Amino acid sequence: MVQETTTPSRPPKLLDQVRDRLRVKHYSIRTEQVYVDWIKRFIWFHDKRHPKDMGAPEIEAFLTHLAVKGKVSASTQNQAKSALLFLYREVLEQKLPWLDKVTQAKASQRLPVVLTVDEVQAVLKRLSATHWLIASLLYGAGLRLMEAVRLRVKDVEFARHEIIVREGKGGKDRVTMLPESVIEPLKRHLAKVKALHEEDLAAGGGDVYLPFALDKKYPNAKREWGWQYVFPSAKHSVDPRSGVTRRHHVDEKGIQRAMKQAVRDAQIAKPATPHTLRHSFATHLLLGGYDIRTVQELLGHSDVATTMIYTHVLNRGGKGVVSPLDRFLA
């Protein structure tokens, strides 16, 4: 009798281990892609040495290279540091004291770009259809761009004029307002989206990505209307994690390009992006007399100090002080 021999399975590659750990901890696909890219760059920078054979000096050398040679911003350098610390703590399980001693780049304190009410109006006038709706929610509800494109039908409360933001920055849920002026356009938009969803169902598809393995817990939920994206893509695409082909949400790059063109057409000199509309939302609420705690809650900031930045960009500069040129010589 010939005894069967089994070949021991090879352990997963390091980057596959990183991906698996990120998914277990429910990191987003974008964070996964960014972290894996930084870890690759770290390994290549040190001539393909394995990270377990390196430590604080190598991390310091890499981060210094990014700042000095690469001239990256402090936020980019700290993003690289976060990726490497995740690798050592969560994947290699090295609980070493030097992890906390690696130098943290200090981000410069810059005021956010804010549009005036007239400038916001000029930009919105130059957007159409889906781009106008999304931009209106960024300004009218204070949403981040990814919060808007990931919005699900079930989280739009027309009766209460509310939007429930699920899994916002920091994994937090929050409630913000649904502007009255977008209700009817949004209802007309959703009627078209529902017709598209029904076409997908008739063709044997119609399922949508669900987070946290909810598709296993609720097998039918992925085809239900309430779980569909408010702003679905015009075409199907392959999920990079599961390999499943389905209709995802609209690509945020399209809104970014449309916003850039609208700002240019409106002849606005400010470097405004979709996120500028969120900054403008906060600033204009404060201008309207709303207290900063209310604005903090609507924005989803953990610390009111983050919201305080908008008090520095109100319409009267110099902390509200009237210039002596205007007061005595005008």
Side-chain angles (χ1 to χ4, degrees), residues 195-258:
L196 182 64
H197 176 55
E198 288 171 352
E199 287 178 13
D200 286 345
L201 289 173
D207 61 313
V208 70
Y209 165 77
L210 296 183
F212 312 130
L214 286 176
D215 55 337
K216 294 179 181 177
K217 188 174 182 180
Y218 306 109
N220 297 323
K222 60 187 177 183
R223 292 185 177 87
E224 293 175 0
W225 168 235
W227 280 99
Q228 303 304 306
Y229 288 116
V230 172
F231 300 108
S233 173
K235 58 184 180 181
H236 294 82
S237 59
V238 179
D239 187 316
R241 284 180 168 174
S242 66
V244 175
T245 300
R246 55 189 162 211
R247 195 181 297 280
H248 201 48
H249 58 65
V250 69
D251 187 356
E252 70 278 7
K253 293 183 181 66
I255 296 99
Q256 291 167 339
R257 287 191 294 268

Side-chain angles (χ1 to χ4, degrees), residues 252-321:
E252 70 278 7
K253 293 183 181 66
I255 296 99
Q256 291 167 339
R257 287 191 294 268
M259 175 78 180
K260 186 175 182 179
Q261 187 61 50
V263 170
R264 187 182 295 120
D265 291 345
Q267 298 183 346
I268 297 171
K270 299 172 184 176
T273 67
H275 202 67
T276 302
L277 295 173
R278 174 175 156 91
H279 292 322
S280 303
F281 163 85
T283 306
H284 295 171
L285 283 182
L286 292 172
L287 277 170
Y290 289 95
D291 69 275
I292 198 161
R293 292 288 182 180
T294 299
V295 178
Q296 176 194 0
E297 186 176 338
L298 292 171
L299 291 172
H301 289 161
S302 298
D303 191 342
V304 72
T306 307
T307 318
M308 286 290 291
I309 191 71
Y310 298 110
T311 64
H312 301 297
V313 289
L314 298 179
N315 64 343
R316 295 184 70 182
K319 301 184 178 179
V321 177

Side-chain angles (χ1 to χ4, degrees), residues 44-88:
W44 277 89
F45 179 77
H46 289 293
D47 300 319
K48 300 183 182 179
R49 289 170 62 195
H50 197 287
K52 66 180 174 58
D53 299 323
M54 297 187 278
E58 288 81 8
I59 291 181
E60 287 276 17
F62 178 63
L63 296 178
T64 301
H65 169 78
L66 291 177
V68 177
K69 298 291 185 182
K71 300 186 186 301
V72 301
S73 67
S75 60
T76 300
Q77 189 186 26
N78 286 331
Q79 184 186 71
K81 178 191 172 184
S82 296
L84 296 178
L85 295 190
F86 182 90
L87 168 67
Y88 279 92

Side-chain angles (χ1 to χ4, degrees), residues 117-154:
V117 173
D118 288 341
E119 287 171 337
V120 171
Q121 188 175 32
V123 168
L124 293 178
K125 270 184 184 177
R126 288 163 174 80
L127 296 171
S128 59
T130 302
H131 293 155
W132 178 87
L133 263 178
I134 292 175
S136 295
L137 291 177
L138 301 186
Y139 175 66
L143 300 184
R144 298 177 178 91
L145 178 55
M146 294 310 300
E147 291 172 346
V149 299
R150 289 173 178 160
L151 193 60
R152 310 271 182 161
V153 173
K154 67 182 182 63

Side-chain angles (χ1 to χ4, degrees), residues 184-195:
E184 289 307 316
L186 187 55
K187 283 182 177 179
R188 291 194 296 270
H189 168 79
L190 285 176
K192 296 176 183 177
V193 173
K194 190 169 187 179

